[in-house]
Amino acid sequence: SDLHKANFAVSGSIVSDIVSRAPIVDSLYLPGKRNVLVVWIGTNDIFNSALSSTATWNSLSAYITDRKLKGYKVVALTCLPRSLPGGNLDTTRVAFNALMKASAIPDYVVDIASDTAFLHYVDYGGVDRYYRAFLSDGIHPSREGHKRIASNVSPVIAQTLETSISQPKLNILEDV
């Protein structure tokens, strides 16, 4: 097959970590082929490092711009919630996602955060709940959660491989 893939996901990474691994990603670029890079990062910058939405987006957009200059088509994924909606950090996450969705920098944005399967909710008794089928611990996607994300990202990758991109597109997930 002409399809080559690599996974550089490292648990706990922040944008500066993927910047430091950029030479490895760049070394995998295949001239004359359609090269797609999927980027899903930002949550640890916001929740663990307490960076602002703007600081996190500025770092990520610089990384994406550099990969595009190398020739990659970039698909960016929004950040899932990690706290009750309306909390300070969740407000930062929502602002970060809004910056990403409004930007023309990624070739595509897949708004996985709009998928209600990943949202927290408070039940009638005031207890914080989340859909365990898709979020194993309220933060990390379960096996089924990863399948759900992949089912929404895969068509975007396929479209990116089959066509050249002239306008950034935003995919808003529907409940599947």
Side-chain angles (χ1 to χ4, degrees):
S1 167
D2 284 340
L3 181 63
H4 302 275
K5 57 187 173 185
N7 182 352
F8 291 99
V10 178
S11 181
S13 288
I14 59 175
V15 175
S16 62
D17 294 327
I18 68 169
V19 169
S20 70
R21 293 191 292 269
I24 299 167
V25 172
D26 293 346
S27 73
L28 296 174
Y29 181 81
L30 299 171
K33 303 284 184 179
R34 294 182 192 268
N35 293 264
V36 179
L37 177 65
V38 178
V39 179
W40 187 23
I41 197 155
T43 190
N44 291 321
D45 297 80
I46 294 166
F47 289 92
N48 297 341
S49 300
L51 293 178
S52 71
S53 57
T54 302
T56 303
W57 175 245
N58 287 345
S59 297
L60 181 56
S61 63
Y63 174 83
I64 292 170
T65 299
D66 288 346
R67 303 295 68 74
K68 288 178 67 170
L69 289 172
K70 298 289 182 189
Y72 281 99
K73 297 296 183 185
V74 179
V75 177
L77 282 62
T78 57
C79 291
L80 295 173
R82 290 177 56 158
S83 64
L84 286 174
N88 288 341
L89 293 177
D90 197 57
T91 301
T92 303
R93 175 195 65 84
V94 168
F96 170 79
N97 287 347
L99 289 169
M100 179 186 291
K101 292 186 292 186
S103 175
I105 294 173
D107 295 295
Y108 283 86
V109 172
V110 180
D111 187 11
I112 60 172
S114 70
D115 187 338
T116 57
F118 295 106
L119 297 180
H120 287 88
Y121 65 98
V122 178
D123 70 14
Y124 291 112
V127 178
D128 179 24
R129 306 277 186 191
Y130 50 89
Y131 297 100
R132 285 196 182 271
F134 296 111
L135 290 172
S136 59
D137 58 2
I139 297 172
H140 301 96
S142 64
R143 182 180 209 59
E144 291 304 311
H146 281 289
K147 287 180 186 176
R148 188 171 178 107
I149 292 166
S151 72
N152 288 285
V153 175
S154 295
V156 176
I157 294 170
Q159 183 177 355
T160 304
L161 290 171
E162 293 172 4
T163 63
S164 61
I165 299 170
S166 59
Q167 290 283 36
K169 295 179 180 78
L170 173 64
N171 283 14
I172 298 177
L173 302 181
E174 295 179 15
D175 198 14
V176 290

